[in-house]
Amino acid sequence: MSQHARAHRPEAAPFTERTPRVVAARHLTRRQGRDKAGRFLVEGAQAVREALAWQGGEVHELFVTATAAERNADLLRSAGDQGVRISEVDDKAAASLSETVTPQGLIAVCDVVPQPLDTALRGTPRLVAVLHGVSDPGNAGTVTRVADAAGADAVIFAGDTVDPHNGKCVRASTGSLFHLPIARSRDADEVFAACRRAGLRLVAADGYAEQDLVEASARGDLARPTAWVFGSEAHGLPDDVVAKLDTSLKVPLYGAAESLNLATAAAVCLYASARDQRN
């Protein structure tokens, strides 16, 4: 382990999977534990680096194996300069905190990211992604990453949607979870009302819609402040939810493919709006 990291716990043996702080951190691999503690785990050098740069919360502890410490000396130095507690763990302890097949040996304990709805939507947002009933964490994380790349102002997890702090969701976001406001509410009607208060037009991404993106773009509709609402991978948005929104649009399919997966469709929709708004 690097000399800088060892300075935080001189003469101490690495933590094991039974060390109380490791046991406490392991509770954060479950949603109930995260909700109770108000903290979650972030794994891997890139994600930890983004967490350290995040202005919206605090990194409380960094668990690191000797091998990972040698590979990431600069990152540990930055964490130490911020006063983050750095704890060496053995490989088995690191694996117990990891949700990946190949643990990276570097796990941070961070404050949860969601903000109140009105805080996430404050100001004059132009582009927002709303995930409604999305159960696959990989898709939810990828949509968060796409929204970040498209310059969206916020991502909202609405209704019975996967936890944004789910390990797979965090990894799929590749740090974007820390780049833009995230809000979470089980009350979808509350989400829709907050979007309207922020001046956003609610648009359902719906493969069965009568109108498509090309037609909407030609009318200038995509240049308007928009909250895109995306539904579940298997069933899309329920009819009663679509009925509550301002309009619905589909991605035109010019080839023989039956449909697009959620993350791909979200990328097309968000970038269509981003392009028109910037033009």
Side-chain angles (χ1 to χ4, degrees):
M1 193 170 191
S2 69
Q3 183 177 0
H4 182 83
R6 283 193 183 278
H8 290 264
R9 297 199 315 110
E11 308 295 328
F15 287 167
T16 72
E17 62 179 336
R18 295 183 179 180
T19 301
R21 288 221 299 275
V22 175
V23 172
R26 195 154 56 243
H27 290 311
L28 304 180
T29 61
R30 297 188 295 273
R31 184 168 187 164
Q32 183 178 7
R34 294 190 292 266
D35 288 346
K36 182 177 181 180
R39 298 179 181 183
F40 74 115
L41 299 180
V42 173
E43 183 180 4
Q46 179 58 32
V48 170
R49 191 173 290 109
E50 299 287 355
L52 290 170
W54 180 43
Q55 299 299 311
E58 183 179 349
V59 177
H60 296 274
E61 187 162 11
L62 189 58
F63 296 105
V64 60
T65 63
T67 301
E70 295 300 333
R71 285 199 306 261
N72 299 282
D74 290 345
L75 191 153
L76 264 63
R77 190 174 300 111
S78 176
D81 290 344
Q82 292 185 33
V84 175
R85 171 189 279 168
I86 299 173
S87 301
E88 183 180 356
V89 295
D90 62 24
D91 290 341
K92 196 170 182 181
S96 76
L97 297 174
S98 174
E99 297 179 69
T100 62
V101 175
T102 307
Q104 299 187 48
L106 189 66
I107 305 103
V109 178
C110 307
D111 286 331
V112 294
V113 298
Q115 306 174 8
L117 275 171
D118 288 337
T119 301
L121 295 171
R122 65 188 169 191
T124 54
R126 299 278 301 167
L127 184 59
V128 170
V130 179
L131 298 173
H132 182 285
V134 176
S135 59
D136 183 88
N139 271 332
T142 302
V143 173
T144 301
R145 182 182 183 182
V146 167
D148 180 21
D153 298 292
V155 177
I156 303 174
F157 288 63
D160 190 21
T161 291
V162 66
D163 180 9
H165 307 104
N166 173 285
K168 187 175 181 181
C169 186
V170 174
R171 290 192 300 278
S173 79
T174 62
S176 288
L177 202 65
F178 299 108
H179 294 169
L180 75 174
I182 305 291
R184 182 176 72 177
S185 173
R186 290 190 175 278
D187 187 341
D189 289 339
E190 179 188 21
V191 171
F192 300 153
C195 287
R196 287 197 170 100
R197 285 196 300 272
L200 294 162
R201 184 168 176 254
L202 289 159
V203 180
D206 181 6
Y208 298 101
E210 294 183 3
Q211 300 286 321
D212 66 32
L213 287 175
V214 176
E215 296 166 308
S217 178
R219 292 193 303 269
D221 290 349
L222 297 186
R224 298 167 63 181
T226 298
W228 276 102
V229 184
F230 303 105
S232 73
E233 300 81 357
H235 306 294
L237 290 167
D239 290 342
D240 63 326
V241 171
V242 173
K244 296 176 182 178
L245 308 181
D246 298 313
T247 191
S248 59
L249 295 172
K250 63 185 176 183
V251 177
L253 301 175
Y254 301 122
E258 180 185 4
S259 63
L260 297 173
N261 69 21
L262 168 61
T264 303
V268 174
C269 294
L270 290 167
Y271 266 93
S273 285
R275 177 200 60 208
D276 284 13
Q277 289 177 359
R278 280 160 175 73
N279 286 340

